[in-house]
Amino acid sequence: MKSDYSESVFRRSQKVIPGGVNSPVRSFRGVGGAPVVITRGRGPRVWDVDGNEYLDYLASWGPLIAGHAHPRVVLAVGQTAAKGTSFGAPTLGELELAELITQAMPSLEMIRLVNSGTEAAMSAIRLARAFTGRSKIVKFAGCYHGHSDPLLVKAGSGAATHGVPDSAGVPAAYAQETLVADYNDLSSVEVYFDEWPGQIAALIVEPVAGNMGVVPPTNSFLQGLRKVTEDNGALLIFDEVITGFRVAYGGAQALYGVSPDLTCLGKIIGGGLPVGAYGGRRDVMEQVSPLGPMYQAGTLSGNPIAVAAGIETIKLLQEPNVYEQLEAYSATLATGLHEAASAAGLPTTLNRVGSVMTLFFHPGPIQTWGDVAASDTKRYAKYFHGMLERGVYLAPSAFEASFVSTQHTQDDIKQTIETAAEVMRGLS
Ligand code: KE4
């Protein structure tokens, strides 16, 4: 594959943008090599500046469930832009998106639109602290909720101790308010509620973990979190930035039948444009300014063009059999990849929920952060580059997810499996 134009553009970018990227995981540091510079997308495909074509399973890290440049999304964005780009005032579009989301997810009695998943999670944490009057929060190792200070925290020295910063610039005093538990291990949560009675405002969780690779909740884990938070007067926050409208139209809360007190959303609800949201119980959301004392604001929150893309994308997901097709094609892909790996004698585990999945080079099962950390990331990097060279674009990190869109065809899936089989034969 020719890549000299990508390489020259990336060299220029590195002079003016840290690492040449506007988000670290795009840098390919997780898999080595230099990223390709993408110039356009259409349906399930993207092209780079050297003219190379790729079958895309990154989907911009999840938002593009309806594929790139969907005609209906492009038309909605264009028609909206022609009437103005932003007013800083109430609009019909933000109301329509708010009503679509709250109708899809009944636990969201009220919702506030913001501009990213980070803003959604940051605001939900502040709201939970305002509502309960408590300061501690519980999160899970391996789960990611954006880059706000309270959430860039890793586990402290031992169980039941406070967290430590997971980034330079996060004061230890902030990190101490965050307690880090182990995903799929309810006892690691219970110990915190015993250690800090009446002090934990909320627990935030990805109901299907997607940021350590895909790790689904084991049976009764989510139900257990619902009970332990309820029993201790803490709020349960589902971070559905990845899973919202992805694993089901009503998100993971519909799929697993567990109702959180607050939900964070992003990615798909913007259809590729910057939209995030947080919402939930009316009595909690009524604490949000201007109704209540918890302040949160944003110049471009509910931006007309962004919400137009989100509305059209969600409407596309209301069409008949959309999720049945996503499930069928994703299941075929998952089975094909796993069989290709087995045929090449490679131990792999493929974790999947609907159209979001991760292939781990590890015999499995993969149910905890510890299992993930033991997977073969070097072999994943070779697999990633082998697929990229053959025109298949996966997540450039072993700890991320790949996504099937409504625009991938059965032939695309078949081609992907054949390509993977060829690459894996070279890995064993
Ligand atoms: P954003 O601020 O990137 O819109 O959303 C943060 C966020 C919150 N919650 C979950 C569950 C998320 O997955 C994310 C962002 N996901 C990452 C990768 N999985 C986005 C990619 C990136 O950081 O560039």
Side-chain angles (χ1 to χ4, degrees):
M1 279 217 169
K2 264 172 27 59
S3 60
D4 37 13
Y5 190 7
S6 258
E7 286 166 13
S8 71
V9 169
F10 190 55
R11 270 195 302 277
R12 276 170 52 202
S13 299
Q14 292 178 85
K15 293 193 177 76
V16 285
I17 303 172
V21 291
N22 282 309
S23 199
V25 73
R26 302 177 190 172
S27 64
F28 275 29
R29 292 199 177 194
V31 291
V36 291
V37 177
I38 301 298
T39 181
R40 70 184 177 93
R42 162 75 71 191
R45 286 173 171 76
V46 292
W47 286 262
D48 69 19
V49 292
D50 289 287
N52 300 308
E53 175 182 312
Y54 304 93
L55 201 44
D56 179 34
Y57 290 96
L58 182 61
S60 182
W61 305 94
L64 279 303
I65 193 168
H68 295 279
H70 192 290
R72 279 178 45 183
V73 175
V74 171
L75 182 63
V77 165
Q79 288 177 333
T80 305
K83 293 186 284 182
T85 55
S86 179
F87 309 106
T91 65
L92 277 172
E94 63 189 0
L95 171 60
E96 186 177 357
L97 182 57
E99 289 178 337
L100 272 175
I101 297 171
T102 52
Q103 284 155 16
M105 300 181 186
S107 77
L108 281 83
E109 295 176 309
M110 294 188 91
I111 188 171
R112 170 60 66 82
L113 300 180
V114 293
N115 300 279
S116 69
T118 292
E119 265 194 274
M122 172 180 73
S123 307
I125 294 295
R126 183 183 308 139
L127 175 56
R129 287 171 162 162
F131 181 77
T132 60
R134 303 175 179 181
S135 63
K136 297 243 181 270
I137 58 167
V138 177
K139 76 173 290 288
F140 291 91
C143 285
Y144 175 70
H145 308 287
H147 62 87
S148 64
D149 285 353
L151 294 163
L152 285 180
V153 174
K154 61 189 174 196
S157 55
T161 59
H162 40 66
V164 296
D166 199 12
S167 164
V170 175
Y174 286 24
Q176 289 181 4
E177 297 305 323
T178 302
L179 309 169
V180 183
D182 298 321
Y183 196 80
N184 277 330
D185 175 358
L186 198 53
S187 65
S188 74
V189 173
E190 290 160 344
V191 72
Y192 283 130
F193 281 100
D194 296 340
E195 186 78 16
W196 307 94
Q199 298 181 60
I200 297 175
L203 177 148
I204 186 166
V205 65
E206 292 181 60
V208 175
N211 284 284
M212 49 175 142
V214 174
V215 178
T218 47
N219 47 8
S220 81
F221 178 58
L222 297 178
Q223 290 78 358
L225 296 181
R226 179 62 286 179
K227 182 169 185 335
V228 72
T229 47
E230 233 154 38
D231 291 350
N232 288 277
L235 298 187
L236 176 60
I237 303 173
F238 271 11
D239 180 344
E240 294 225 41
V241 168
I242 288 180
T243 55
F245 294 96
R246 170 63 67 178
V247 299
Y249 185 72
Q253 54 196 268
L255 190 64
Y256 294 98
V258 175
S259 261
D261 300 301
L262 290 175
T263 297
C264 305
L265 295 166
K267 296 186 193 276
I268 288 173
I269 67 167
L273 272 72
V275 181
Y278 65 100
R281 281 170 36 190
R282 184 176 297 278
D283 61 330
V284 179
M285 291 300 289
E286 285 175 344
Q287 298 299 309
V288 178
S289 179
L291 288 183
M294 177 270 186
Y295 195 72
Q296 175 270 315
T299 301
L300 297 175
S301 295
N303 175 269
I305 300 174
V307 301
I311 290 165
E312 209 54 41
T313 298
I314 291 174
K315 285 182 175 173
L316 284 163
L317 297 175
Q318 293 175 343
E319 314 231 321
N321 300 319
V322 162
Y323 287 93
E324 289 79 358
Q325 177 183 306
L326 284 171
E327 174 58 28
Y329 287 18
S330 302
T332 302
L333 177 60
T335 304
L337 293 177
H338 190 65
E339 285 173 353
S342 305
L346 299 171
T348 59
T349 302
L350 199 139
N351 281 356
R352 176 180 74 85
V353 180
S355 57
V356 57
M357 65 185 83
T358 300
L359 181 71
F360 295 95
F361 286 92
H362 183 289
I366 299 268
Q367 295 179 332
T368 67
W369 169 240
D371 297 335
V372 169
S375 66
D376 188 337
T377 53
K378 287 191 174 43
R379 183 163 270 174
Y380 179 84
K382 291 193 185 110
Y383 170 62
F384 170 83
H385 281 289
M387 295 293 270
L388 190 72
E389 283 155 21
R390 292 168 178 78
V392 179
Y393 198 113
L394 302 173
S397 162
F399 302 146
E400 292 288 349
S402 291
F403 302 89
V404 176
S405 80
T406 60
Q407 303 306 302
H408 285 88
T409 65
Q410 285 179 309
D411 282 350
D412 293 331
I413 302 296
K414 184 167 172 293
Q415 176 197 325
T416 304
I417 293 167
E418 288 167 3
T419 302
E422 184 187 332
V423 172
M424 287 176 183
R425 282 194 292 273
L427 293 183
S428 49

